[in-house]
Amino acid sequence: MSKRPVVALTGASGYIGQNLLKKIEDKADIIALSRNGDNYEDSEHIQWRSCDLYSMNDAEKALEGADVAVYLVHSMMPSAKLNQGSFEDMDVILADNFAQAAKKNNVKRIVYLTGIVPGDDEPLSRHLRSRLEVENILRAYGTPVTAIRAGLIVGPKGSSFPILAKLVKRLPIMVLPKWTRMETQPIALPDVLNALDEGLENEEISNRSIDVGGPEVMTYWDMMLKTAAIMGRKPKAIPVPFITVKLSRLWVSMVTGASKEIVYPLIESLKHPMVVQKENYVEGISDGKISFEESAKYALESERQEGIRLKLPQLPSFKQDVRSVQRIILPEGETADSTALYYVEWLESLLNPWIRTTVDEDHCCKVGTSFSSKSLLELSYSRERSTPDRALYYITGGLLTDSEKNSRGRLEFRKIPEKNELIVAIHEYMPSLPWFAYKYTQAFSHLIVMRLFSNHMKKKSNETVYSESTDPAKG
């Protein structure tokens, strides 16, 4: 009897994850990963693990013993009470932690569910550009990645189809911006699950990007009409060429009640045709069999069944913690480690004579004022968790830190693989100031300081490029 493969499944408590878990549990041992894994009970072939993928240490522990890993992570939803930074930069951290953890644990393959990358000449939307960047990061450490690229997934939960269904249900008159006439290739949830299952089992498609879509290419308006017919509705349509994507995302959010964190990136992507590309077509995987009408009927019927609602993801509640993430230019020849030390030096020069900083022989840092011996912030350098491409500091004290609650607060400087860019991130920081005062003083000041540091590093990088271009020895 052959050994069952061990599959690490991220987002196991989410929409896609729950369904994929049910599909593969009869043939694989599953490490089910969730931020709230402790709330679930293990079974014969399912072991739940709590995991925060913003922590590389958590990611490494989560993937221990896995043969294959499924990456279903996206950071459009907030992960702390105060989130400073874009979902693109948050996604960089999550993907980089996961990819490095997979490499350390000798995971044989990563299966990644992402979005179709269109073949048009339009610059990619933020959402699709981020999805492609994540795909590249997952590949950066040598683990083979099978990327399953899908457009709109039709099912009773998730994000895209519930938004469309709520628009149809709540609007007696439908305005039709230009994006509603863009072609797409929706795919039913079971067809997506089949493609992910193939990615887990079929080694012949390892390290490939595969587009998947249903049997029909249609416009978003076509989907709205079919959905309305299933609901027994006949909405009137008014083409409105002057409504931009930016205006569309606002009214979609208002009508559906979905948070802007979900709606804005999705609507911005609708300017692209989302259809299967020939170069990414694999027979038997790319060609979903379930029609849009059939999958939409199932999703809407599920809404009517007791205990099942066609719903959008809800914003979770958080403790009073902070995650602040910014992306900056990394000058040629610099590392994450050297930039971290340089930042402390630069901070004092920026805020002189009020702020004083010190760095000891172990690279531990203190930030204080010139008129008091007490530190504002104390940062302990983690030598064992740091590399030239990642400098990690634990926030261990100071007047601005709630020392009793700040058990996992940390600051990191992380190079983005294959780019001259750096992520500077604060995670799980618990401030000592009252929340309102913190948000509009210290947190606001941090954003200003990081903007200034970003501009400074960009200028420094340009000076380095100019110096090299004018060096006669390199001419």
Side-chain angles (χ1 to χ4, degrees), residues 153-361:
I153 299 173
V154 185
K157 295 184 182 179
S159 52
S160 300
F161 182 72
I163 288 174
L164 183 146
K166 286 180 183 295
L167 282 175
V168 173
K169 186 175 182 179
R170 296 178 179 179
L171 291 177
I173 299 176
M174 301 286 296
V175 294
L176 301 181
K178 184 178 179 180
W179 60 262
T180 62
R181 300 183 293 275
M182 187 64 69
E183 287 189 333
T184 186
Q185 198 166 349
I187 183 168
L189 174 61
D191 287 330
V192 171
L193 298 177
N194 288 337
L196 291 170
D197 192 21
E198 281 286 335
L200 289 170
E201 295 186 339
N202 191 344
E203 294 187 7
E204 293 182 3
I205 60 172
S206 180
N207 223 21
R208 289 190 58 180
S209 298
I210 300 171
D211 291 355
V212 296
E216 305 144 299
V217 174
M218 55 205 308
T219 67
Y220 288 94
W221 175 233
D222 291 333
M223 288 191 290
M224 290 177 183
L225 281 178
K226 285 183 178 290
T227 302
I230 296 169
M231 291 179 177
R233 297 174 60 84
K234 294 182 179 180
K236 295 181 180 180
I238 304 175
V240 185
F242 56 83
I243 292 186
T244 64
V245 168
K246 288 185 177 180
L247 285 174
S248 294
R249 68 187 191 182
L250 178 61
W251 69 257
V252 168
S253 181
M254 291 175 61
V255 170
T256 64
S259 69
K260 66 179 183 179
E261 289 87 356
I262 296 173
V263 170
Y264 282 22
L266 293 177
I267 296 297
E268 288 167 7
S269 298
L270 301 185
K271 65 180 182 180
H272 299 291
M274 302 288 282
V275 298
V276 171
Q277 306 293 305
K278 290 182 179 179
E279 62 270 22
N280 296 323
Y281 176 86
V282 176
E283 187 174 356
I285 302 176
S286 296
D287 42 2
K289 301 298 189 290
I290 303 173
S291 69
F292 174 81
E293 186 172 2
E294 184 181 349
S295 56
K297 281 182 179 178
Y298 170 76
L300 294 170
E301 181 59 31
S302 296
E303 180 186 19
R304 287 188 283 268
Q305 293 177 11
E306 185 178 355
I308 302 178
R309 297 184 59 196
L310 185 65
K311 62 180 182 179
L312 294 160
Q314 301 298 308
L315 294 178
S317 58
F318 297 103
K319 57 187 179 182
Q320 291 192 334
D321 62 333
V322 178
R323 177 165 282 112
S324 184
V325 180
Q326 286 80 38
R327 185 184 305 218
I328 66 174
I329 296 294
L330 182 65
E332 192 71 32
E334 297 294 335
T335 66
D337 217 23
S338 66
T339 303
L341 294 174
Y342 179 74
Y343 170 74
V344 177
E345 176 186 325
W346 171 87
L347 185 64
E348 179 174 316
S349 66
L350 173 72
L351 301 176
N352 186 57
W354 303 284
I355 295 297
R356 292 284 182 262
T357 62
T358 60
V359 181
D360 66 19
E361 57 188 19

